[in-house]
Amino acid sequence: MIEINRGTSARSWRDWTNRHNIPSVTLAGVVPPGKRLVIVSPHPDDEILCAGGLLALATASQRECLLIAVTNGEASHPDSLAWSPSCLAAIRARETEIALSILHSGRIQIVRANLPDGCLNAAEPCIQSVLEKWLTPNDVVVCPWQNDGHPDHEAVARACFHVANDLDASLLQAPIWGWHACSPDEKLIDQSAALKLNFPREIWHRKKTAIHAFRSQLEPDPSTGAGPILPTHVLEHFYNPYEIFLRGCQ
């Protein structure tokens, strides 16, 4: 269970990144020319949080890109009178489209698997089936980290690992909730497997703006008294002018 109000600060992870001199890579070091970038996103917004900068760089450089949206995020507000599951599914899909447009990535292909939000552990074989249909050996697959702390994220990571491994496709994992839920002292993230993709100021600003397209996740729910799904201290993890990816996870 992720505790929204208790977690590791973004500053702690920035210090970790600097302390370990995480090697910087260019776009070509992440997605070589001729390769396709595939981002596998458990919920709308995950693709922007973990890889919005990469996606913006890839589309600007004419890389072929595919987004596999595993769920529609319909379970983000349980018991809400303001946000029904059907309303959330439609709104969150639209938020993704707006965010991609802000990144100048609005024309990428999106595959919607329509699997049940909050139930991906049980649906892991279905995730694998979707991936087997769409992935190729020529892909660079980006997915959440295998220890991300969210069951849906971890199910997607496992499925991506198995299918990418079978295809001999490249796989990179990216912490999302893991930045908040884990501490550098736990040493769960192997710094020797980490890569840092820097991006220019323009793309940095575009990513921050794109994150704020997900209004449904950034505002409190007055019908339940619940705070935002993504409060400011969690968002701070994604306001860096770089993204961290992990190689060789399994």
Side-chain angles (χ1 to χ4, degrees), residues 88-202:
L88 280 164
I91 287 175
R92 296 191 70 183
R94 178 57 182 154
E95 289 171 342
T96 289
E97 293 171 358
I98 294 169
L100 292 174
S101 178
I102 292 168
L103 292 176
H104 298 179
S105 302
R107 294 186 178 181
I108 71 165
Q109 183 180 10
I110 302 176
V111 170
R112 297 197 179 279
N114 298 313
L115 295 179
D117 185 10
C119 303
L120 293 187
N121 274 332
E124 197 170 324
C126 298
I127 304 171
Q128 290 196 38
S129 295
V130 172
L131 298 176
E132 287 164 355
K133 177 178 179 180
W134 289 98
L135 297 187
T136 75
N138 194 52
D139 292 332
V140 176
V141 182
V142 175
C143 69
W145 181 39
Q146 63 197 22
N147 297 312
D148 211 41
H150 189 304
D152 281 356
H153 291 205
E154 295 180 4
V156 167
R158 290 191 299 269
C160 285
F161 173 78
H162 289 303
V163 176
N165 188 58
D166 288 345
L167 291 170
D168 199 26
S170 298
L171 177 67
L172 295 172
Q173 296 187 355
I176 301 175
W177 281 108
W179 295 127
H180 172 75
C182 299
S183 164
D185 295 336
E186 295 175 282
K187 298 183 179 180
L188 291 173
I189 295 180
D190 180 4
Q191 68 266 17
S192 68
L195 300 172
K196 182 171 74 166
L197 177 68
N198 297 297
F199 29 85
R201 180 174 294 272
E202 178 189 357

